[in-house]
Each structure stands twice: as C-alpha cells, then as structure tokens.
Amino acid sequence: ILVGRKLATEFQVREALRLQGRMVEAKLTPVPRLGEILVKRGVLTASALLAALELQNFKLYRCPPCGERIPLHPESGREAVICPKCRQEIPPLFAKMAAGLQRVLDEAAVEQAVEVPPEVFEAAARPDRGFGKYVLVREAGRGGTGIVWRAWQRDRNRWAAVKVLTCPPAEGGEARTPFGHPESVKRFFAEARAVSELDHPHIVPLWEYGVVDQSFYCAMPFVEGSSLDTLLHGPPGGEDAVPARKLPMKLGLTIVRDIARALDYAHARGVCHRDVKPGNLLIDGQEKAWLIDFGLARVAAMGDPAYKKGVVVGTPYYMPPEQASGDMERVDAKSDIYSLGAVLYEILSLRYPYAGMTSDSVFDALPIREPEPISRIAPEVPAVLQKIVTRAMAREKKGRYERASRMADDLDAFLKGME
C-alpha cells in the first residue's frame, strides 16, 4: 500500500525491515513496528500511517460467518462482495468505510508523495553510482580533499551534497592509509568535526559523515545556486573575468554582512574557517548566502593536527599576510576577517587583491606590501565602505576589527542608510 501510493519507496521499507531484523538478532526489545520506524524517520505522518493500516485491515477483511480472509476492493460503485468459501455477501457498509479510508490515503499521498526525478533512475542503473543510501547523480565540484556529488538520498527522498574523499594512487615511497593520504584524511575529518558543531542560518549544515566501501564521505543539503566566484567571474573553466561583473550594491553588502555574522558565530565556538573566498560562498535562488568548505578549518578544542609548519595552505589572493608564512597556528579569527575584507574589496572594486599577479608572486608580495588601496582603484566607492575594507584588511591584526560581528554591524548600518 505504502509503495503503491508513493508514500514510501521500496528502499525505505527495506531499510526499516532490516532495522527490525538487526534488533531481533541483537535481542533488543521491544522491536518497533514497520510503521513506527517510518514515522520516526519522517517518511510518514502519523495520520497517513493510520489510514494505511485501516485500509490494510479492510483489504484483509475476515468473513464473519466462516473466518475466511477476503481481499476487499474499496472502490465505490462495485458490486456486492461475496465470500468465496461460504458464499455470504459482505456487508456493503465495510466497503463504504474502506472507500472513505482510501480517500484519506489518497489525500495523504498528494501531500507526501515525492516523485523521484528521472535522472536519479538513470544514475541508479549504473553500478558505480550506488553509494550506500545515496545515488551519485552528477559531479557538482572538486575541492582539495574530494569530489562533491549532487546525490539522491534514497531513505529520505531528498537531494544531498555528498563529498567523497578521493584516494589517488600513492607515488614513490609516499605514506598512505587505506582511505587516502594521511593529511587529506585529517583535513577531511577536521571539516566534518568543525561543521558538526555549528548550527547557523548561513552555514550549510552537516547531516552525517562516515565510511562507505572504504571511502570517507560527509553529506549536507544540496544548495541550488552558484558560488559568489561564479557570479563575479562566470562559470569555472572560462577566462578569468577582470574586472569582475558588478553586483547590485545591496546584494553584495548583504552577502558580506551575513557571512560576517556566520563567521562570528563560528569563531565564538572555537572554529576558524581559514579559507574565506568567493568560491566558498554559495548564493541560492533566494539570494541567501551560505558559507561552505571548512576543509582548512581549525577547531580550538582539537588544536591543529592536520598541518605541518611551513606548508602554506589557502588561496593567496584572499590570504592575510600571517598565513603566507605557513605557520597555520597564527591564523585565527582575525585572519578570517581579513579574507572577508578581501572579498568585499573585490565586490566593490571589481578586482581581487593583487589582480594580475601569479599565485607565486602573491606569496612573495604578501609579507612585504599591501594590495593596491581600494581608494585608488575604485574612488567612486563610498568613503564609509572604503574604510570598512581598509580596517578589515589591515596588515597588522591589531588594526582589524575585534570581531566579525563588528564588521557586520558597520555594513548593516550602511545598508539601513540606503533604505
């Protein structure tokens, strides 16, 4: 009944049955019923389950005179139902009640049924696209630690972003775990640990992380939209657009303000992002900004086990001077503020800091000189906003905002003045 009415998928029902089996094997009692598991997992509402159970009872109606089980067809307008054993007529009241229950179930199906997109079935037909409870539909992006897939979560009937740690072949005498390079494994779980502690409206939450077929993964909601980098410079793989595309002033400032709030929230919980850049800011269809990719994050409670001193990690154009030395212990909340200031620099001036220089040249320049002042390359930018950028990007930490929330407050004040 549930599968036929699209209230649950076969996968969801099988998973619930497997859970019952595991509980029986482990001698755990009481074992919840199938419907209880589906309601607990959010697959069904309690009212839809009740209607389905009642309808099941009517479809397996037992004849009063002889006790024979009779499958009733509760559609209205059918002829009287006759018991095949004793030839007694089944009271029409039961068929009418069953018809009413079927209408309730039909209404619940309309409210709850989730149509599985055709591309999910196409991907599921490929053996290499099954990944535990997920179907990997298409590659959505690649990062320093893995591949991000647009995936379908079969037990919840929803889209997910599944990041899978890549495990390239070892080179020479390189140390390697069964799951990949040790530093990549540390970095991957640093991200999972960092995001699992956070719950903020502008940080993409972590649903779960674990291992499938010796591959580490983490799963998050799939945000439909584009990165800020794509909005500014066009799709990845194309020519780097300098100057960047101009965003509406209000949109650009709102994005930076909201991400500043998200960073302040993370900083207050001992998490520093350490790779704030346009590519790690997603803008959804409602123009809401999301902070993603905590792969370089530092969690205060864990220290910084994932990096070696002297190894520079991060994106140079948005990197503060202290990060260029490779001593990641010196990179903290104020470093994130510098990087967010660099993002605002680009939104307002249409040029990212040190534009026109190679990455290696930027690494050489960071310790000795500032990027070209925004007042020089974009004098038309209001003085108040120039001041916010200059303060956020101060070379010395003591010259920067004390907290990201202070930067957000200044941007908010400017936005209110625009109204």
Side-chain angles (χ1 to χ4, degrees):
I1 292 174
L2 295 176
V3 174
R5 294 283 168 178
K6 296 184 178 179
L7 292 170
T9 64
E10 289 185 22
F11 180 85
Q12 291 168 331
V13 173
R14 285 199 302 268
E15 283 289 292
L17 292 172
R18 275 195 283 267
L19 175 60
Q20 288 180 319
R22 289 195 296 269
M23 293 185 70
V24 170
E25 290 176 3
K27 296 184 167 58
L28 297 175
T29 57
V31 177
R33 296 181 179 181
L34 175 65
E36 292 173 342
I37 296 173
L38 294 174
V39 170
K40 184 70 174 176
R41 290 183 169 180
V43 176
L44 292 176
T45 63
S47 59
L49 172 63
L50 181 61
L53 290 173
E54 292 294 340
L55 184 57
Q56 181 185 49
N57 289 338
F58 277 105
K59 285 194 171 185
L60 298 176
Y61 175 72
R62 196 178 291 276
C63 176
C66 69
E68 179 75 6
R69 283 187 176 273
I70 304 170
L72 281 182
H73 299 281
E75 294 85 349
S76 58
R78 290 179 60 89
E79 297 179 357
V81 178
I82 305 297
C83 174
K85 184 176 180 181
C86 69
R87 309 305 299 171
Q88 291 287 323
E89 181 179 338
I90 303 302
L93 175 63
F94 287 96
K96 290 181 180 179
M97 291 176 66
L101 285 168
Q102 182 137 337
R103 282 194 296 272
V104 171
L105 201 59
D106 286 341
E107 292 171 2
V110 170
E111 293 178 3
Q112 287 191 232
V114 176
E115 292 289 342
V116 179
E119 61 263 39
V120 174
F121 290 109
E122 294 172 11
R126 297 176 54 177
D128 61 331
R129 293 298 182 86
F131 190 78
K133 67 179 73 172
Y134 299 96
V135 177
L136 306 179
V137 178
R138 66 171 173 82
E139 186 176 318
R142 288 177 178 256
T145 56
I147 301 174
V148 179
W149 291 87
R150 177 180 168 89
W152 184 259
Q153 187 175 347
R154 293 185 288 182
D155 63 334
R156 298 296 296 273
N157 273 352
R158 62 184 181 184
W159 286 111
V162 176
K163 187 173 185 177
V164 182
L165 178 65
T166 53
C167 185
E171 298 179 2
E174 183 183 31
R176 186 59 58 96
T177 74
F179 305 99
H181 192 283
E183 294 300 318
S184 296
V185 173
K186 290 178 187 177
R187 180 172 163 183
F188 192 86
F189 273 94
E191 175 178 15
R193 174 66 184 274
V195 181
S196 67
E197 303 289 332
L198 304 178
D199 181 14
H200 188 274
H202 292 282
I203 296 175
V204 177
L206 181 73
W207 282 340
E208 65 174 3
Y209 62 95
V211 180
V212 170
D213 298 331
Q214 285 198 320
S215 292
F216 287 131
Y217 78 95
C218 58
M220 296 156 280
F222 189 89
V223 177
E224 299 280 359
S226 302
S227 71
L228 178 59
D229 188 65
T230 297
L231 293 181
L232 292 171
H233 299 285
E239 274 192 32
D240 192 15
V242 178
R245 299 169 180 170
K246 189 173 183 63
L247 297 181
M249 174 77 78
K250 186 175 181 180
L251 173 60
L253 298 182
T254 300
I255 289 170
V256 176
R257 179 201 62 190
D258 292 344
I259 296 301
R261 300 275 190 221
L263 286 171
D264 187 69
Y265 170 88
H267 295 160
R269 286 151 185 80
V271 178
C272 296
H273 190 281
R274 304 199 296 191
D275 196 20
V276 177
K277 60 182 180 179
N280 285 337
L281 307 183
L282 287 183
I283 315 302
D284 67 19
Q286 287 70 51
E287 297 186 340
K288 179 180 178 180
W290 297 87
L291 180 62
I292 63 167
D293 200 344
F294 282 73
L296 299 185
R298 178 187 179 196
V299 183
M302 296 171 59
D304 199 18
Y307 309 100
K308 298 177 181 178
K309 189 170 182 178
V311 177
V312 181
V313 289
T315 306
Y317 299 100
Y318 307 93
M319 183 183 293
E322 64 270 15
Q323 193 165 346
S325 68
D327 186 358
M328 295 298 284
E329 289 288 345
R330 294 178 56 209
V331 181
D332 56 17
K334 288 197 172 185
S335 305
D336 282 347
I337 292 172
Y338 177 100
S339 297
L340 188 59
V343 172
L344 182 58
Y345 176 108
E346 180 173 7
I347 290 173
L348 296 174
S349 71
L350 308 185
R351 294 172 64 87
Y352 49 81
Y354 302 102
M357 298 174 62
T358 65
S359 297
D360 289 340
S361 298
V362 175
F363 281 123
D364 292 337
L366 273 168
I368 58 176
R369 71 177 179 88
E370 299 176 346
E372 195 169 0
I374 190 170
S375 58
R376 186 180 303 162
I377 62 172
E380 71 282 0
V381 172
V384 174
L385 297 179
Q386 291 183 22
K387 184 178 179 181
I388 293 173
V389 171
T390 302
R391 183 176 178 186
M393 295 182 67
R395 291 188 62 75
E396 298 295 330
K397 288 184 183 179
K398 62 183 179 182
R400 298 174 199 163
Y401 284 98
E402 286 296 320
R403 293 179 54 178
S405 62
R406 302 289 186 265
M407 181 179 177
D409 290 342
D410 283 353
L411 289 168
D412 201 42
F414 186 89
L415 282 165
K416 288 177 180 176
M418 293 177 63
E419 295 175 357

